[in-house]
Amino acid sequence: MRYLSTRGGGVPKRFCDILLEGLAEDGGLFLPERYPKVDATTLSSWRTLSYAELAFEILSLYIDDIPAEDLRRLCAQTYRAEVFGGRAEITPLHRLEPGLYLEELSNGPTLAFKDMAMQLLGALFEYELGRRGEQLNILGATSGDTGSAAEYAMRGRAGVNVFMLSPHGRMSAFQQAQMFSLQDANIHNLAVRGVFDDCQDIVKAVSNDLAYKKSRKIGTVNSINWARLLAQVVYYFAGYFQATKSNDERVSFTVPSGNFGNVCAGHVARQMGLPIEQLVVATNENDVLDEFFRTGRYAPRGAAHTHATSSPSMDISKASNFERFIADVMDRDGAQVAARFQGGAFEVDAATMERVHAHYGFASGASSHTDRVATIRACWHKTGRLIDPHTADGLKVAEALRQPDVPMIVLETALPAKFADTLVEATGMQPPRPAHLEGIENLPQRVQVVDADAAQVRAVIDHCLGLG
Ligand SMILES: Cc1ncc(COP(=O)(O)O)c(C=O)c1O
Ligand SMILES: N[C@@H](CCOP(=O)(O)O)C(=O)O
């Protein structure tokens, strides 16, 4: 399989090259030249596989520059029950009521769905850097969960440093403590005076400085990196197999969305032939994506209009992976994609929106603080299940948009322990947390506060690398 930039520049590349490269040189995002199709016989043969074996089968369709036995071993080492809360299924399905499910994606080390891909990325980086005898300096942006997942996956790994940008004062106390309490020498936390989008813009600006990127060996762990999305495709198949008995059945997924990485992985699974009826995008008050799916207008907002909400990891107004989806909608016309994403807002016509809904199966809705608190409370009272605020945004939208006779799977993107204040407001109870994370907020923290300025971030990286 070869990979191309959404903006059409550069030459086709192989998987391990784009794994380390992250953002394409023309500022676009890598996509495989085509989505491999999975026929009914293959789909049936995958039904009984373990999660690790399923991951291997799916990854093999996209990766031809890692020997099969090595890739199989990396998948087996990554997707072990011990790493994912002792759950043999890795992403178990929990039935809330007939036809409505939660797919548990947050049983990994940092209690959010990011672990599903990041644990594999850590193994892939170490493997490939070892083969090449190279180092990688990862520059990432987080609104709360990517950061800790990346740091836990990369801490102590040979050949990797992590520089993680987060929006100063905008994450929950638990999320901050998860990241800032790490004392490993290869982990560097930078709190940016700004919002998540400022952090992501800095990652892109530094990556687009090609001379700097090359000389400092800068890589990415955000869903900018295709490998993140690829690993996330696997749990759509795993969820489908658990919710159905035969391939004649269809299911829908509702995905709490911010940077559009998670639901974009669902789009890839659907393009591969997984029988998905609808992909429902659920946003919080930062509803740029919901606005697009309702009206055809994509209007990213600035920091002043990006609200700080009680589902903070979704406080995003410029969804990076939306570019990948639009590239597919525009039949991979790189010039058209570049024109749209180098500019500000854009609009697509009614015929295109018809395809977005009917052909690509997208629908959307938004949730507010009042909605998510009410949803957490109702879910607790009706089912005895505590859910986190982001999952609540998903459940609220799923309940409004689910169709009769089509099972709806809501992706559980984090555990309640990460967002205690909102859980207490909704239920009057402190959410449970794993014993080893008790008191994490009281540990000493290590973080450097910087302006939303790429030059300042470059200076910090250079200083840490002993270059400035
Ligand atoms: C808990 C949680 N839910 C949902 C999202 C949104 O996912 P995505 O950015 O892939 O759309 C995020 C962050 O990405 C998150 O951390
Ligand atoms: N919500 C994310 C934001 C970054 O998303 P990513 O999927 O592109 O890494 C976070 O919690 O950091």
Side-chain angles (χ1 to χ4, degrees):
M1 179 67 78
R2 297 292 184 272
Y3 293 86
L4 299 159
S5 166
T6 46
R7 299 190 186 176
V11 293
K13 301 204 162 155
R14 300 185 78 178
F15 176 81
C16 289
D17 294 325
I18 66 155
L19 170 73
L20 300 185
E21 193 171 330
L23 194 68
E25 287 195 354
D26 62 357
L29 302 176
F30 283 111
L31 273 176
E33 57 194 353
R34 64 189 164 77
Y35 298 119
K37 298 288 177 209
V38 178
D39 61 25
T41 313
T42 308
L43 203 56
S44 297
S45 71
W46 286 359
R47 265 191 182 274
T48 50
L49 296 183
S50 69
Y51 194 94
E53 287 165 342
L54 180 63
F56 168 72
E57 294 294 339
I58 293 172
L59 265 58
S60 302
L61 299 176
Y62 291 91
I63 303 176
D64 53 15
D65 51 353
I66 297 179
E69 62 274 20
D70 291 356
L71 189 58
R72 193 187 288 278
R73 177 173 41 79
L74 292 173
C75 290
Q77 284 169 353
T78 300
Y79 297 113
R80 286 178 291 127
E82 307 90 273
V83 181
F84 292 92
R87 307 302 301 265
E89 312 92 321
I90 308 295
T91 59
L93 209 61
H94 176 85
R95 198 180 81 147
L96 290 174
E97 62 182 61
L100 183 62
Y101 302 90
L102 285 183
E103 185 173 359
E104 296 182 16
L105 304 180
S106 308
N107 295 323
T110 67
L111 320 187
F113 79 102
K114 307 290 179 172
D115 291 323
M116 293 306 308
M118 214 62 88
Q119 287 290 313
L120 183 72
L121 232 65
L124 285 170
F125 278 142
E126 192 168 60
Y127 173 86
E128 187 55 20
L129 291 171
R131 263 199 326 191
R132 295 181 186 208
E134 288 180 8
Q135 297 260 333
L136 192 68
N137 294 307
I138 289 167
L139 179 59
T142 185
S143 52
D145 295 317
T146 292
S148 54
E151 294 180 354
Y152 275 64
M154 309 297 163
R155 61 193 295 206
R157 289 216 189 246
V160 182
N161 283 303
V162 178
F163 297 88
M164 188 55 64
L165 312 181
S166 57
H168 185 37
R170 285 196 170 229
M171 302 185 292
S172 76
F174 185 96
Q175 288 176 312
Q176 287 185 49
Q178 275 184 306
M179 291 170 59
F180 301 166
S181 65
L182 294 181
Q183 304 296 333
D184 306 67
N186 70 331
I187 303 296
H188 309 274
N189 285 302
L190 283 72
V192 174
R193 294 187 189 92
V195 296
F196 168 79
D197 294 312
D198 295 318
C199 301
Q200 184 158 258
D201 283 349
I202 293 172
V203 171
K204 289 192 173 177
V206 172
S207 298
N208 280 327
D209 178 346
L210 298 181
Y212 185 85
K213 177 180 175 180
K214 201 163 171 215
S215 63
R216 304 315 194 265
K217 301 193 178 307
I218 300 291
T220 57
V221 278
N222 281 103
S223 52
I224 288 170
N225 195 320
W226 165 257
R228 275 277 311 280
L229 247 70
L230 178 55
Q232 292 178 220
V233 168
V234 178
Y235 53 69
Y236 283 88
F237 283 82
Y240 173 78
F241 291 137
Q242 292 177 79
T244 60
K245 291 201 165 52
S246 96
N247 301 341
D248 299 330
E249 298 171 56
R250 296 177 77 76
V251 304
S252 293
F253 287 89
T254 298
V255 189
S257 293
N259 221 8
F260 205 72
N262 204 358
V263 76
C264 196
H267 161 68
V268 173
R270 196 172 185 276
Q271 293 305 298
M272 291 171 70
L274 189 67
I276 296 176
E277 183 66 27
Q278 281 196 305
L279 286 166
V280 179
V281 174
T283 72
N284 64 15
E285 292 88 334
N286 297 297
D287 57 355
V288 173
L289 293 168
D290 179 43
E291 184 182 0
F292 172 79
F293 286 105
R294 279 186 295 103
T295 67
R297 180 171 159 73
Y298 177 66
R301 297 174 196 143
H305 296 103
T306 301
H307 311 287
T309 75
S310 50
S311 46
S313 303
M314 293 178 3
D315 292 347
I316 298 175
S317 295
K318 268 191 221 171
S320 192
N321 289 281
F322 192 58
E323 177 165 341
R324 284 193 166 107
F325 175 61
I326 290 296
D328 282 346
V329 171
M330 296 191 160
D331 297 325
R332 305 284 180 98
D333 181 337
Q336 291 271 0
V337 173
R340 276 164 181 79
F341 285 92
Q342 279 159 354
F346 64 83
E347 219 159 322
V348 301
D349 59 25
T352 307
M353 282 316 284
E354 170 64 20
R355 282 201 315 129
V356 163
H357 296 305
H359 176 69
Y360 290 104
F362 272 87
S364 77
S367 170
S368 65
H369 177 76
T370 309
D371 292 330
R372 81 181 57 92
V373 166
T375 305
I376 294 169
R377 187 179 299 133
C379 184
W380 169 243
H381 287 144
K382 276 199 285 192
T383 72
R385 175 98 186 184
L386 283 178
I387 56 173
D388 101 290
H390 307 77
T391 309
D393 288 335
L395 182 56
K396 185 260 166 184
V397 173
E399 283 173 332
L401 296 188
R402 64 192 276 219
Q403 300 164 313
D405 304 326
V406 182
M408 173 63 85
I409 301 175
V410 178
L411 297 187
E412 181 185 57
T413 54
L415 292 193
K418 298 190 95 160
F419 307 98
D421 291 352
T422 307
L423 267 289
V424 170
E425 182 181 342
T427 65
M429 292 180 338
Q430 283 288 341
R433 62 167 74 176
H436 70 281
L437 294 171
E438 284 301 343
I440 188 174
E441 293 90 340
N442 304 324
L443 295 174
Q445 301 196 353
R446 196 165 65 97
V447 59
Q448 188 170 342
V449 180
V450 296
D451 290 333
D453 173 12
Q456 242 186 67
V457 170
R458 275 196 297 259
V460 173
I461 294 174
D462 284 353
H463 179 74
C464 293
L465 298 179
L467 300 169

